[in-house]
């Protein structure tokens, strides 16, 4: 067929009026039959391809974009929450275990030794939920406890003293949990050891569970205290 008689890109090639417009001269019945076999399939296929290409170019629906934005936002919130929990529970508020003190003691007498639990950057008041002493050795069968000393002005706290705590503290109460002021000028946690027989007492600090405002944690704190009661 002559090229000009088959307008393949004309939309009308899929139906009636277009087929008659494509024919010029000759035997119309023969040319119409041959033209229909060529024009209708090719024209319709081209129209179908054009439609599919146009559909692929349609932007992502608004609902899908909203879903993607929500997923990203949820991921960022979870990441922020994880970082917050890590900061809230990480060790670092209190100065850790490390220093040591040692010396003699006497059977039947109580020796008071400061645990020296401090903060790393400031002196907050913390809420202690649990305090567990790490008693490594107690061959002296000593009574061992933690006391809270309310410092006597001008303050300074107890280093180590036998029986005579009153010159350093206005009160000396047994402590297991509660609020603790970490400023030694006002208060101090103290280890109290009373040997019942000759022997050695070795206390390697304490595990302290605490909360401060929104921050909470558990740390190994204090100092190692070794006391020897001679026989």
């Amino acid at each position: 067929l002559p090229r000009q008689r088959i307008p393949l890109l004309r939309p009308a090639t899929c139906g009636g009026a277009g087929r008659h417009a494509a024919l010029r001269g000759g035997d119309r019945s023969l040319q119409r039959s041959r033209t229909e076999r060529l024009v209708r399939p090719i024209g319709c296929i081209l129209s179908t391809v054009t439609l599919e290409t146009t559909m692929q170019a349609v932007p992502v629906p608004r609902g899908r974009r909203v879903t993607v934005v929500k997923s990203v936002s949820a991921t960022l919130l979870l990441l922020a929450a994880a970082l917050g929990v890590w900061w809230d529970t990480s060790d670092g508020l209190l100065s850790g275990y490390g220093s040591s003190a040692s010396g003699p003691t006497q059977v039947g007498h109580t020796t008071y030794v400061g645990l020296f639990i401090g903060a790393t950057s400031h002196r907050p008041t913390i809420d202690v939920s649990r305090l567990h002493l790490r008693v490594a050795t107690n061959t002296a069968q000593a009574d061992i406890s933690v006391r809270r000393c309310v410092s006597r002005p001008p303050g300074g706290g107890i280093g180590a003293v036998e029986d005579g705590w009153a010159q350093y503290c206005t009160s000396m109460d047994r402590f297991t949990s509660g609020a603790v002021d970490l400023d030694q000028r006002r208060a101090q946690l103290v280890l109290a050891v009373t040997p019942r027989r000759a022997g050695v007492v070795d206390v390697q600090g304490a595990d302290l569970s605490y909360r401060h405002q929104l921050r909470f944690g558990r740390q190994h704190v204090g100092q190692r205290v070794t006391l020897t009661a001679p026989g």
Side-chain angles (χ1 to χ4, degrees):
L1 292 175
R3 185 178 301 174
Q4 65 272 17
R5 293 183 180 183
I6 307 176
L8 298 179
L9 300 179
R10 291 178 59 187
T13 57
C14 283
R19 292 195 300 271
H20 294 287
L23 301 175
R24 287 181 173 82
D27 188 343
R28 289 184 177 274
S29 62
L30 177 60
Q31 292 183 11
R32 181 183 302 165
S33 175
R34 297 174 65 185
T35 302
E36 286 178 351
R37 287 198 302 270
L38 293 174
V39 174
R40 291 189 64 184
I42 297 175
C44 292
I45 291 172
L46 288 176
S47 299
T48 303
V49 172
T50 302
L51 176 60
E52 291 179 352
T53 304
T54 303
M55 291 179 64
Q56 292 175 0
V58 174
V60 178
R62 178 178 176 82
R64 185 175 177 183
R65 291 201 304 270
V66 172
T67 301
V68 172
V69 171
K70 287 183 177 179
S71 299
V72 173
S73 299
T75 302
L76 291 176
L77 286 174
L78 288 174
L79 180 60
L83 289 175
V85 170
W86 173 83
W87 176 87
D88 208 30
T89 60
S90 62
D91 291 351
L93 176 63
L94 306 180
S95 54
Y97 170 79
S99 59
S100 62
S102 61
T105 187
Q106 298 182 56
V107 175
H109 293 263
T110 302
T111 300
Y112 299 92
V113 184
L115 282 175
F116 296 109
I117 301 172
T120 55
S121 59
H122 57 294
R123 300 182 179 90
T125 296
I126 62 174
D127 184 19
V128 176
S129 59
R130 183 175 181 271
L131 190 153
H132 173 71
L133 291 173
R134 295 192 178 190
V135 179
T137 304
N138 186 11
T139 59
Q141 297 183 357
D143 298 328
I144 306 171
S145 63
V146 176
R147 308 293 179 92
R148 177 168 47 193
C149 162
V150 177
S151 301
R152 185 179 296 279
I158 291 178
V161 62
E162 187 176 83
D163 295 329
W165 59 264
Q167 58 181 316
Y168 302 100
C169 312
T170 59
S171 64
M172 180 74 77
D173 302 320
R174 185 179 294 269
F175 179 84
T176 56
S177 63
V180 176
D181 190 336
L182 295 181
D183 189 339
Q184 287 189 178
R185 295 170 299 180
R186 296 189 292 265
Q188 182 186 18
L189 290 182
V190 176
L191 183 67
V193 179
T194 307
R196 298 304 176 188
R197 53 174 292 177
V200 176
V201 176
D202 183 12
V203 180
Q204 299 178 358
D207 293 315
L208 191 69
S209 299
Y210 65 89
R211 174 178 287 276
H212 173 59
Q213 296 176 356
L214 297 177
R215 185 169 185 162
F216 61 93
R218 182 174 183 268
Q219 289 183 240
H220 183 198
V221 297
Q223 65 174 338
R224 181 176 184 176
V225 177
T226 306
L227 298 175
T228 302

